[in-house]
Amino acid sequence: MPPPEYPPVHSSPRPQAAGLGRLASFLSILVLVLVVLNIFTLADRHAHQWAYGHLQYVLDLVNHRDWLKNSPTATRESDIALATEELRQGNILLRDKNSRLSATSLTLQMATEKLAAASETLVLKNERMITAHQNYRGRIEGAGRKLSGSIAPRALRGAKRNISSLAGEAVPYFGVAISVWSVYLDVIDACENVKALNEMNDALGIPHNSEGSVCGLKVPSATQLRDEVSQDARGVFDRARKELDRTFPGSIPALPSATEMSDKANTFLRSLF
């Protein structure tokens, strides 16, 4: 018995139309999603960063990240990176400049401290100098007053003594004792003057005068003078005259002759009796 014959099977257009419909629906949904996503990425910064990050991730997987090099986000990131680098370099320069300024400030501070210390030292030195000057001036004034108070009365006393003794010294023979005593007192006054000057020298800080050269002078006695005159009266007179001529040249006249001296002596003796 022969097999039964079946009618030929023909494909129905319905499944094909259904597939196209599903594809169109998918594409419509995809377009709608892309439109909504695009709106979100334009309206919200976080959504844009999220979408841009995922897109970078996908392009990194296929090694085509360079497709985004001209995108606004990539351009902005590049500009931000350049600006950040410029800021970093500027910050480095500012740190270097700040370091140099800090070093300069430290140097100036140290110099200022040295100047302040030097100024303080100078102030203290100046104060010590002022005090020393005041003390020195006080010593000088005190010594000057003491010197003036001792020498001036002594000089006045000696001058009065010499003037009052002139007449007595002029008496022959007897006036020698008065002359010796007057000279002896003059030597004592001169010795006291040298001592007073040495006290002044102590205040001034200069060496002493030799007291022995004045205080050690020996005054001859009246007897010694009479003996010396009796032995060589003219020689004694000439030596005294030469000594006085050293200070007052020509002040002492020459000794008269023997005849003139005899006449004057006789006249003087007659005046006594």
Side-chain angles (χ1 to χ4, degrees):
M1 178 174 182
E5 292 182 4
Y6 297 96
V9 178
H10 298 286
S11 60
S12 176
R14 278 186 169 182
Q16 187 174 4
L20 291 175
R22 286 193 297 270
L23 178 60
S25 299
F26 175 76
L27 291 177
S28 299
I29 294 171
L30 180 61
V31 169
L32 180 61
V33 170
L34 291 176
V35 170
V36 172
L37 183 61
N38 189 37
I39 292 173
F40 271 109
T41 56
L42 292 176
D44 186 73
R45 179 172 59 86
H46 298 288
H48 176 78
Q49 292 178 350
W50 178 84
Y52 187 80
H54 283 75
L55 182 59
Q56 281 184 332
Y57 175 75
V58 173
L59 292 177
D60 286 340
L61 294 177
V62 295
N63 295 325
H64 286 292
R65 188 171 183 177
D66 55 338
W67 288 358
L68 297 176
K69 64 181 180 179
N70 294 324
S71 65
T73 302
T75 302
R76 185 170 62 255
E77 289 181 351
S78 177
D79 294 339
I80 292 173
L82 290 175
T84 302
E85 181 63 21
E86 290 179 357
L87 291 174
R88 190 181 68 83
Q89 295 294 332
N91 190 30
I92 293 174
L93 294 176
L94 288 176
R95 284 200 301 268
D96 293 340
K97 187 175 182 180
N98 186 46
S99 299
R100 291 193 297 269
L101 289 175
S102 298
T104 303
S105 177
L106 180 60
T107 303
L108 291 175
Q109 182 179 358
M110 294 176 62
T112 302
E113 292 176 355
K114 290 181 179 179
L115 288 174
S119 177
E120 184 177 358
T121 302
L122 289 175
V123 169
L124 293 176
K125 185 176 180 180
N126 187 45
E127 291 178 353
R128 289 194 295 268
M129 290 179 65
I130 292 174
T131 303
H133 176 71
Q134 292 175 348
N135 294 335
Y136 180 73
R137 183 175 180 180
R139 290 197 305 271
I140 291 178
E141 290 178 352
R145 286 191 297 268
K146 186 176 181 180
L147 179 65
S148 177
S150 61
I151 289 182
R154 194 178 298 121
L156 179 60
R157 183 172 62 249
K160 289 181 178 180
R161 182 178 62 242
N162 290 330
I163 292 172
S164 62
S165 64
L166 282 176
E169 292 174 1
V171 177
Y173 191 79
F174 301 103
V176 175
I178 298 176
S179 297
V180 170
W181 185 246
S182 178
V183 171
Y184 178 75
L185 294 177
D186 288 341
V187 172
I188 293 177
D189 287 343
C191 178
E192 293 299 322
N193 289 339
V194 172
K195 292 180 180 179
L197 288 173
N198 283 336
E199 291 180 1
M200 184 70 176
N201 292 341
D202 288 336
L204 296 175
I206 59 179
H208 282 191
N209 296 309
S210 176
E211 297 180 3
S213 61
V214 177
C215 300
L217 291 175
K218 300 296 182 181
V219 179
S221 64
T223 303
Q224 291 173 337
L225 288 177
R226 291 191 188 101
D227 293 341
E228 187 177 356
V229 171
S230 63
Q231 293 174 5
D232 186 13
R234 184 173 292 277
V236 171
F237 183 84
D238 289 339
R239 288 193 295 271
R241 182 171 176 267
K242 289 179 181 179
E243 189 67 28
L244 292 173
D245 279 344
R246 294 180 181 179
T247 307
F248 303 103
S251 60
I252 305 299
L255 191 66
S257 63
T259 303
E260 292 175 345
M261 291 180 65
S262 178
D263 293 341
K264 291 182 178 181
N266 291 330
T267 302
F268 176 74
L269 291 174
R270 284 195 298 268
S271 66
L272 292 178
F273 301 103

